[in-house]
Amino acid sequence: MTEPSRAALPATTDYPAAERLDLVEDLHGHAVADPYRWLEDPADPRTAAWSAAQDDLTRSWLDAMPGRDSLGARVSELMRTGSVGVPVWRAGRAFYTRRDPDQDLPVLYVRVDGVERVLLDPSALDPTGRTTLDRWSPSREGTRLAYQVSVGGDEHSLLHVVDVDSGELLDGPIDRCRYSPVGWLPGGEEFFYVRRLDPALVPEDERQFHRRVWRHRVGTPATTDLNVHGDDLDHTYYYGLSVSEDGRWLVVNGAPGTVRRDSVWIADLRGTAELRPVLSADQGAQCSAWVEADGRLYLLTSLDAPRFRLCAADPTTPTEWTELIAEDPDSVLDAAVPLDGSLVVVRTRHAVSELHLHGADGAHLRQVDLPGTGSLHGLSTADELTLANRDVLWFGWSDFVTPTSVHRFSLSTGAVTLDTAPPGAVTLPDLSTTQISYLSPDGTTVRMFVVSGSRHPDLPRPTLLTGYGGFAVGRGPGYSATTLAWVEAGGVWAHASLRGGDEEGEEWHEAGMRSRKQNVFDDFHAAAERLIADGWTTPQQLSITGGSNGGLLVGAALTQRPELYAAVVCSAPLLDMVRYENFLLGRLWAEEYGSAAVPEELGWLLAYSPYHRVRPGVEYPSVLFTVFESDSRVDPNHARKTCAALQHATASDPTKHPVLIRRETEVGHAGRSVSRTVGLAVDQLTFLAWATGLEL
């Protein structure tokens, strides 16, 4: 095939030596080879030496690739829009985050009587940029703030409480609070939260789990907290919670691991405070439940409605539901917020957000016009103690070419207006976004966003295709500096809304999980073939990228259809699907993928497990794995093992189609600073541009 033109890079690629073990296990009658088992142990001297040699090799390539400086400058510029968060109102005080153009991390602000001041700056806490603000929650009166921070990307949040007016530290740090919800009681003296048990009290391999709901009094030792809920449930349960504004009702929802089956409980804190069941996970439905200021218990649920419906109940009789808004056959009901006697509802139609206005009885009144075809998030209304703007809904808004801003919808005027623009002004490229439909091999219609310099293909161009396809996680239009930089340089960017996500409801998710996981990969291959057939690109110009479950997606793509793709960036991936349950949070995902401990399910996993599908003598595309050593979700050993396997097996010329692994320390799976984000993006995009012939 014709190779894209490339600037001169290292003339040879001598991959670091990696011992191949003669390790074959009989698993339910399957002979399963694992020649790189030793790379699972980061403390093994062989792993340390191999990783260090890979670091040197990878940097010798990435640092030599053309266009790095100009790309880095442009990505940095496009990120100078900064960011702004939707305000949370407490007793007339507005709490919100903002990242100014020159800042590395968002800062939390409070505005009181029109005067803004910094409440919490992660960079001031830690100038190294390793500390991130994971979550925050002001008390009902707006006088106290519970916040959680973690260091080095480990996501092991530490909870603190500060006085909003004085800045005095009132409590904390309380450890083992990973992304804990906080439900304040009126008065700001107590709150409910979620914390793991003392690791000394549980088996060593279960220390990531065993969460409980606790009641805490500010300023007292966490060891004296009241254990409210969780002792009799599976140790993998995660919990959410909320407290009604009047402090009477505590609502707890929970599910084992990442399964999409919720249990819901409610307690009358003015009565026995006993948590009574509202919904059981055995009923097989998702449900978000909360008590609003109007006194009703609201339930947004997939029970008997895969695209969700909204119900209401009297909290004193919480199992007697009345349906307010029925399931829609062509959109997904995402959120609902009471607003001054009405209901404002967010729907997603084929991954695009819509805003609808309903009466208190659920009757549809009208659709609210939004700024364009994009994504809406972060709904917020004034609380009962905020006297002004009682008829206003605030929300975040973005599309592929518009930075996230905050808008407001006024019930009295019926208008949507800009409330807060992003703090930085940048020159944005003039690009076009379109959504196309295509057929997967089984005849299922799938949709894909395409961002390019023109609405229709003019000539085949270097193209970057991405997707996710798992855990009922969907992605709609959203601002991305990397997307804009790629397309501005002359490329095409595409995102496929694959099965396994939630773009079309829970049935769409279930169609891409467990025994049906291959549907996700088929949807992705079909997206690539459609881009080629329409003239957007060619196999020699087509690159793919994905992270986490999306890393599994592109790992499966490159091992199933290596001839279809020129280059792959595989980030923080799951790749050894036989042993994934043995590491970090892996055991939580058996409901999504299946378990190797079950004979039939092992067959599903082996059918696509990328590590086990690497075959010698195959011409594989250029591959860059990116991993993060402090990742507390997906173990970097997946990428290490598969990288070694590909380096050993590929029949491609390594000077033209290298297999590399890039690793970072002191950063994890999720939050990171802007500077680290830019550094990662530059390495990934220059690699893909070099491999597909895109001149930066």
Side-chain angles (χ1 to χ4, degrees), residues 433-455:
T433 301
T434 186
Q435 187 180 37
I436 63 175
S437 300
Y438 65 93
L439 295 181
S440 200
D442 65 356
T444 299
T445 298
V446 186
R447 291 171 177 83
M448 173 169 53
F449 293 103
V450 178
V451 183
S452 65
S454 60
R455 183 163 291 276

Side-chain angles (χ1 to χ4, degrees), residues 373-405:
T373 301
S375 297
L376 184 155
H377 64 88
L379 305 184
S380 176
T381 59
D383 66 323
E384 286 291 293
L385 299 178
T386 299
L387 300 180
N389 297 315
R390 297 299 297 275
D391 74 333
V392 174
L393 173 79
W394 289 263
F395 60 89
W397 170 263
S398 178
D399 60 30
F400 286 121
V401 294
T402 306
T404 300
S405 54

Side-chain angles (χ1 to χ4, degrees), residues 223-379:
T223 53
T224 64
D225 288 350
L226 177 65
N227 183 343
V228 173
H229 190 61
D231 280 347
D232 299 325
L233 295 169
D234 187 274
H235 70 278
T236 64
Y237 255 77
Y238 282 79
Y239 299 101
L241 61 85
S242 64
V243 176
S244 60
E245 287 196 29
D246 62 4
R248 178 176 179 181
W249 301 101
L250 168 67
V251 180
V252 176
N253 68 283
T258 56
V259 303
R260 309 303 263 190
R261 299 192 305 271
D262 291 319
S263 294
V264 178
W265 303 267
I266 189 170
D268 186 349
L269 301 178
R270 296 179 184 171
T272 66
E274 176 188 1
L275 281 162
R276 295 179 293 151
V278 178
L279 183 74
S280 169
D282 294 338
Q283 294 173 262
Q286 299 174 57
C287 185
S288 300
W290 68 100
V291 175
E292 276 287 354
D294 61 9
R296 291 201 290 188
L297 171 66
Y298 286 90
L299 306 110
L300 182 64
T301 181
S302 65
L303 184 65
D304 302 322
R307 290 178 178 264
F308 290 82
R309 60 187 177 128
L310 182 68
C311 301
D314 185 324
T316 62
T317 54
T319 59
E320 299 175 12
W321 299 3
T322 298
E323 184 176 89
L324 292 179
I325 301 177
E327 178 186 32
D328 180 82
D330 199 41
S331 68
V332 180
L333 182 57
D334 286 331
V337 177
L339 182 66
D340 202 23
S342 300
L343 285 168
V344 181
V345 167
V346 178
R347 291 190 176 276
T348 299
R349 194 175 307 275
H350 312 316
V352 176
S353 291
E354 296 178 350
L355 195 63
H356 292 261
L357 185 63
H358 293 250
D361 60 356
H364 187 266
L365 301 178
R366 67 182 180 89
Q367 183 172 344
V368 178
D369 291 335
L370 291 174
T373 301
S375 297
L376 184 155
H377 64 88
L379 305 184

